Amino acid sequence: MSREKEYLKLTTVLFRAMQSVENVIKKDILSYNLNTSEFGTLELLYNRGKQPMQSIASRMLMANSSMTYVMDKLEQRGMIFRSPGEEDKRVIMVDLTEEGRNFFKSIFEHHVNTLASIFEILDEEELPKMIELLKKVGYHAKTVSDEK
């Protein structure tokens, strides 16, 4: 097979695999009565602690206005709270409430088990290699994108 055909085949396989993985993960997240933005926000706060809202929006690849909507919904549900930054009052800090922390803790193990069920097909050598190769392609694709 020519290199050009391999590029096309790899792109198709990558997109199909990502679509299949995404479908399983979205279904899992919906089972917790969350959307992917809400889940991602809770997961970030659970694992990293209090964060500036701007940082969360950046990590989630969301516009600030969309992030505000997500924060409003999570705050209404009692999952998060917002406060002014200690050093700069213009910065909005976000953290989990006790209820939010307990809720996420209660679903996190199930979510990790869902991820394990997807990736258990990879052996101990394949998993880190796949991570390494996908990072390599991702970083290079960003460089190519920045050049164009």
Side-chain angles (χ1 to χ4, degrees):
M1 185 182 303
S2 73
R3 193 82 167 155
E4 292 80 16
K5 285 185 180 181
E6 285 182 326
Y7 295 150
L8 294 170
K9 182 173 178 90
L10 175 57
T11 301
T12 300
V13 168
L14 184 62
F15 276 114
R16 284 187 180 155
M18 187 57 217
Q19 191 173 44
S20 297
V21 169
E22 184 179 30
N23 288 340
V24 173
I25 292 171
K26 279 184 176 180
K27 185 177 177 184
D28 180 60
I29 289 171
L30 285 172
S31 75
Y32 312 127
N33 198 26
L34 297 169
N35 65 39
T36 54
S37 299
E38 293 165 338
F39 182 89
T41 299
L42 293 175
E43 189 270 335
L44 178 65
L45 294 170
Y46 183 79
N47 288 305
R48 299 262 174 117
K50 185 187 255 188
Q51 298 286 313
M53 192 162 124
Q54 179 69 29
S55 295
I56 298 169
S58 176
R59 297 267 324 219
M60 301 291 295
L61 304 174
M62 294 178 73
N64 284 341
S65 58
S66 299
M67 192 79 250
T68 299
Y69 177 75
V70 170
M71 294 298 173
D72 288 347
K73 286 179 64 180
L74 289 172
E75 195 168 44
Q76 288 167 3
R77 291 177 64 179
M79 302 282 189
I80 59 116
F81 67 94
R82 292 178 267 195
S83 59
E86 292 177 21
E87 295 175 18
D88 184 347
K89 302 293 183 206
R90 297 171 296 179
V91 174
I92 305 296
M93 299 299 293
V94 182
D95 203 355
L96 293 173
T97 61
E98 194 63 33
E99 181 181 347
R101 184 167 308 289
N102 289 337
F103 170 76
F104 199 81
K105 185 178 182 181
S106 75
I107 66 172
F108 190 62
E109 184 177 346
H110 183 270
H111 182 69
V112 170
N113 288 338
T114 299
L115 297 178
S117 71
I118 296 169
F119 297 114
E120 68 189 1
I121 190 81
L122 300 171
D123 67 31
E124 288 183 28
E125 294 170 3
E126 291 170 328
L127 185 60
K129 188 66 174 174
M130 185 170 187
I131 292 167
E132 176 188 333
L133 292 172
L134 289 172
K135 276 183 168 182
K136 183 177 183 178
V137 170
Y139 290 139
H140 182 69
K142 181 162 177 20
T143 302
V144 170
S145 175
D146 292 345
E147 291 172 358
K148 294 195 179 225

